[in-house]
Amino acid sequence: MEAVGYTNFRNNLKKYIKQVNDDADTLVITSNSDPDEQAVLMSKRDYDAMKETMYIMNNPSLVSKIRQGLKQIDEHKTQVHELLTDYSDD
């Protein structure tokens, strides 16, 4: 994770936005005047993935289903089947 000062970040905003999108890494933006004032820049793609992971991990029912599925994979208790394409109630 790279860190950059606020002034440098402001002067090179486009470069840093491209960098976090290309590298899939975060960038810490620091302030020389106040060390407690820091921010993190990340791509929207990575932010969306992080939010989705947080949603899943905060839902005990989903976590339980994921663990159950992983256990079935470990125990070789899986089946291959065709995906259903007809979602009608007929």
Side-chain angles (χ1 to χ4, degrees):
M1 179 179 341
E2 184 180 349
V4 64
Y6 172 78
T7 302
N8 186 12
F9 173 74
R10 185 183 61 226
N11 292 338
N12 297 287
L13 179 61
K14 185 174 181 179
K15 170 190 153 189
Y16 288 119
I17 290 174
K18 181 173 178 9
Q19 178 180 319
V20 297
N21 279 284
D22 290 349
D23 297 347
D25 198 7
T26 55
L27 177 70
V28 177
I29 305 158
T30 62
S31 170
N32 291 336
S33 61
D34 187 349
D36 292 330
E37 289 187 11
Q38 296 185 28
V40 175
L41 179 69
M42 64 189 328
S43 71
K44 175 137 180 2
R45 177 188 62 243
D46 291 343
Y47 175 78
D48 290 342
M50 182 183 71
K51 293 288 287 183
E52 179 71 15
T53 300
M54 289 170 49
Y55 171 79
I56 291 168
M57 297 308 290
N58 284 306
N59 184 323
S61 176
L62 287 176
V63 172
S64 175
K65 289 177 183 179
I66 291 168
R67 287 189 178 134
Q68 180 182 4
L70 291 172
K71 182 179 177 192
Q72 289 173 344
I73 291 169
D74 287 343
E75 295 172 353
H76 304 286
K77 295 181 179 177
T78 59
Q79 297 177 4
V80 176
H81 60 85
E82 298 279 330
L83 291 177
L84 299 175
T85 57
D86 183 9
Y87 300 109
S88 65
D89 292 329
D90 299 324

